Amino acid sequence: MTYVVTDNCIRCKYTDCVEVCPVDCFYEGENFLVINPDECIDCGVCEPECPAEAIKADTEPGLDKWLKLNAEYAQVWPNITVKKEPMEGYKDMDGVSGKLETYFSEKPGSGD
């Protein structure tokens, strides 16, 4: 088992989760975070820290595409371990459906 970041993180990008991760397995894209499933130790401390409830255990049904996306971008985006401010307009984007298809960016973030 691992944890994955799902669509509600897109264009919100709260980073409360990165500070509590004991193994620093979060990686930052321009408007989204991912968890490296090979580094995640399944401790679950990040899940309750996400205000957008975008972090899920990969044992929940329907998360295969998110596991694949997290694994792929964790290989190319920079590591992030320090909390930052959420994205501008994050309150308006929280809960918006179809974020992956409409807003997802493959560009890397700035990292720490």
Side-chain angles (χ1 to χ4, degrees), residues 66-84:
W66 292 105
L67 179 59
K68 182 179 176 186
L69 190 139
N70 276 244
E72 177 181 349
Y73 287 97
Q75 299 304 312
V76 294
W77 287 348
N79 187 247
I80 179 172
T81 60
V82 179
K83 182 179 176 178
K84 298 179 179 180

Side-chain angles (χ1 to χ4, degrees), residues 16-59:
D16 303 58
C17 53
V18 303
E19 284 198 322
V20 299
C21 181
V23 293
D24 299 335
C25 65
F26 281 89
Y27 292 81
E28 182 185 18
E30 178 181 43
N31 66 4
F32 184 56
L33 299 175
V34 295
I35 294 171
N36 185 328
D38 294 330
E39 296 174 355
C40 179
I41 60 170
D42 312 327
C43 67
V45 297
C46 59
E47 185 178 25
E49 294 300 316
C50 180
E53 298 180 358
I55 299 174
K56 308 286 183 192
D58 75 339
T59 54

